[in-house]
Amino acid sequence: MTAHVHFGHIFHLAGRPTVTEAIDALVSIPDGALVVGDDGKILFAGERAQLPDRHASATVHDHRGGYLLPGFVDTHIHFPQTYAGDSYGGGQLLEWLTLCIFPSESKFADPEFATRAAVEFTRRRIAAGSTAAMVFGSAFPHAQDALFGQTLKAGLRIVSGRGIQTRGPESARPLITSEQDAIRLTRAEIDKWHAADTGDVDTALLHVAIVPRFSLSVTTETLRNLGELYHEVRDRGVYVHSHLNENNRPGTGEVDTTKQDYQVDSYLDTYDGKFLPGSAVGGKSLLGRRTILAHCVHCTDAELARMAETGTSISHCPVSQLFLGSGTMPWKRTVASGVNIAAGTDFGGGDEWLIPRVLGDAFKQHITEPGDDGVSMHPAEMLFLGTLGGARALDMEDRFGNFDLGKEADFVVVRPADALAGPLRNAVRADEADLARDQTLFTLLMGIRESSIAEVYVRGNRVTA
């Protein structure tokens, strides 16, 4: 058997901690060794001096002076917004969608344009070290074919589904389908691409999600039909992805508009099968362990409790929330609910491709929450959001997300560029070992840029653009 051993400073979260347990699960091995077998699984992660003799003949990759981190997991990013970052709409979410995003996404009707975008999207993911991603897909099947094809060619992990819209403003017209086509095209995508690379959902890199854009882009008939479809395919490991409680500008924001439009008690009810007036049950729920809802900035306690109860995860997107003026997801209250939280770039609502930039903005947002709500996030919690929490949100924690033995070796090699190398090498560190460790991890996560990501691996195989 041919094994490969990678030397470097290892950081990861061992075991299966929650975000509140991440500090105790943090592992730092300054002179570390990560051994990957020919099946792409981790055989050893520990001190280089303790490397077992049976790995003495392993091919050596010497990254000393650099860092080995689990691959970043982006749990919310928009493929048809590949070229739409930093779009100015003169307002917040709904204005930005109407003036900028719907027209941008409509350009993917051109197959050649969509293919170029799929190449660029995949390249940018590699550059950012996002080894796994929940990708909000294009409305156009040929664009999704290009996305899945390029992802498979590169060897990355993806969960994606075509963005489903059955109503919307005039600028969204090219993206809107009939009720029948919404289900037909979604079913066809599942049949064509879900676990298409291996035929086994437990080993596949490619997975499909059911993706209603958000409740204001679909009807009660759409939600009813999607609930029936999900009930049919849930056992095949299909996912659900959408947006929830993102923007709540009084009276005209997404949250109030949704509740008024559906006449429901809460926004979450529309995804929970309770989309008839008065939150009466109208169909089957879309919530569950393979459902990720992005943003969740303005959730009620009852909504958070229901997500925790069903195993639904939140994709926390602070860069996007800043960009669109959506507010700050309350960290302490959200964590206290027990719901799993992961990180999402939300490119192009966010203008960053890099998960560490998301983690940095999360730290800045939550330390500035008012009064007792303000909290200085621990760097282990930040690492959780960007790695293990994302793997859990994708219900693939048993496959990747840390360096536990037997897991598939998804990791990034961070080789600090000059702007990061100086602080890591010269900044003052505490005498107390654990605090010094935490200070180093914090500097690393806050300072990583794309130029720092030297190599990217999925299942032990190096991924290149």
Side-chain angles (χ1 to χ4, degrees):
M1 180 177 70
T2 302
H4 293 257
V5 58
H6 297 262
F7 297 144
H9 188 154
I10 291 173
F11 274 116
H12 78 119
L13 303 172
R16 303 177 67 89
T18 63
V19 67
T20 58
E21 299 165 338
I23 299 170
D24 293 332
L26 180 59
V27 174
S28 172
I29 310 172
D31 191 12
L34 180 70
V35 181
V36 182
D38 61 356
D39 60 354
K41 294 185 177 180
I42 296 170
L43 301 176
F44 175 84
E47 298 283 352
R48 184 168 65 94
Q50 297 176 4
L51 187 66
D53 291 341
R54 64 181 179 276
H55 300 311
S57 61
T59 302
V60 173
H61 305 263
D62 195 342
H63 311 294
R64 282 177 292 179
Y67 298 81
L68 306 179
L69 302 177
F72 300 124
V73 183
D74 189 342
T75 55
H76 183 57
I77 184 170
H78 289 259
F79 164 51
Q81 295 174 24
T82 297
Y83 299 119
D86 292 317
S87 293
Y88 176 68
Q92 295 185 358
L93 175 66
L94 298 183
E95 295 90 350
W96 172 79
L97 285 170
T98 299
L99 294 174
C100 303
I101 297 307
F102 294 149
S104 295
E105 293 190 2
S106 297
K107 295 180 69 175
F108 281 62
D110 177 353
E112 291 186 4
F113 183 87
T115 297
R116 290 198 302 273
V119 172
E120 175 69 4
F121 182 86
T122 304
R123 185 188 69 79
R124 294 299 301 268
R125 274 192 60 193
I126 295 169
S130 293
T131 53
M134 171 66 87
V135 179
F136 196 106
S138 170
F140 303 106
H142 59 257
Q144 287 297 98
D145 290 346
L147 174 64
F148 280 115
Q150 288 297 323
T151 304
L152 181 60
K153 180 180 177 182
L156 293 168
R157 299 183 192 271
I158 192 171
V159 183
S160 185
R162 61 173 303 274
I164 300 166
Q165 294 184 241
T166 52
R167 61 170 172 154
E170 181 62 30
S171 63
R173 184 163 299 279
L175 309 173
I176 295 171
T177 68
S178 67
E179 301 286 356
Q180 295 75 21
D181 280 349
I183 302 303
R184 179 182 65 81
L185 293 173
T186 302
R187 186 188 300 277
E189 184 174 35
I190 293 168
D191 291 340
K192 182 173 185 178
W193 286 110
H194 191 55
D197 53 319
T198 67
D200 180 356
V201 69
D202 293 327
T203 61
L205 294 175
L206 307 182
H207 301 264
V208 174
I210 294 171
V211 185
R213 181 176 208 110
F214 67 139
S215 295
L216 292 176
S217 288
V218 294
T219 66
T220 54
E221 181 179 353
T222 313
L223 290 171
R224 183 181 298 109
N225 292 338
L226 291 178
E228 291 293 333
L229 176 60
Y230 190 48
H231 181 72
E232 177 186 332
V233 301
R234 184 190 290 260
D235 289 345
R236 293 170 58 184
V238 172
Y239 293 78
V240 172
H241 187 46
S242 195
H243 303 82
L244 176 70
N245 288 327
E246 180 176 359
N247 186 287
N248 197 31
R249 184 174 51 194
T252 59
E254 170 214 17
V255 178
D256 285 347
T257 303
T258 299
K259 290 167 67 177
Q260 293 164 7
D261 184 82
Y262 280 90
Q263 300 177 51
V264 291
D265 298 330
S266 78
Y267 193 157
L268 184 68
D269 284 346
T270 62
Y271 299 129
D272 202 13
K274 305 169 186 175
F275 45 73
L276 298 182
S279 289
V281 174
K284 294 181 172 63
S285 178
L286 294 171
L287 306 184
R289 287 175 59 87
R290 292 201 163 194
T291 299
I292 299 177
L293 297 176
H295 304 296
C296 301
V297 177
H298 304 285
C299 288
T300 65
D301 289 345
E303 288 175 309
L304 292 172
R306 178 59 176 159
M307 283 189 281
E309 175 190 4
T310 57
T312 300
S313 289
I314 290 173
S315 179
H316 183 25
C317 307
V319 175
S320 158
Q321 290 152 24
L322 287 167
F323 182 79
L324 292 171
S326 298
T328 301
M329 185 194 81
W331 179 256
K332 286 184 176 179
R333 185 165 66 86
T334 306
V335 168
S337 73
V339 67
N340 181 56
I341 310 170
T345 60
D346 194 28
F347 194 91
D351 57 351
E352 294 282 355
W353 291 83
L354 194 64
I355 285 294
R357 302 300 298 138
V358 175
L359 307 180
D361 275 3
F363 178 86
K364 295 169 189 174
Q365 277 197 353
H366 297 308
I367 201 170
T368 57
E369 289 190 57
D372 292 339
D373 291 332
V375 59
S376 176
M377 292 179 68
H378 193 279
E381 295 173 327
M382 297 165 65
L383 185 62
F384 177 92
L385 287 183
T387 59
L388 193 59
R392 184 170 300 162
L394 293 177
D395 198 26
M396 296 192 207
E397 184 180 6
D398 60 333
R399 294 182 61 185
F400 59 89
N402 62 14
F403 296 143
D404 286 355
L405 299 187
K407 286 196 177 181
E408 298 170 25
D410 290 13
F411 63 100
V412 295
V413 178
V414 178
R415 189 170 297 124
D418 290 345
L420 178 55
L424 285 168
R425 187 168 51 241
N426 298 311
V428 173
R429 293 289 180 256
D431 293 332
E432 198 271 315
D434 284 351
L435 180 54
R437 171 203 65 187
D438 299 343
Q439 291 170 330
T440 297
L441 177 59
F442 184 76
T443 299
L444 181 66
L445 292 176
M446 293 293 285
I448 289 175
R449 300 295 184 270
E450 290 184 7
S451 60
S452 310
I453 297 176
E455 297 177 19
V456 180
Y457 291 82
V458 174
R459 294 197 298 203
N461 296 314
R462 187 173 179 185
V463 176
T464 58

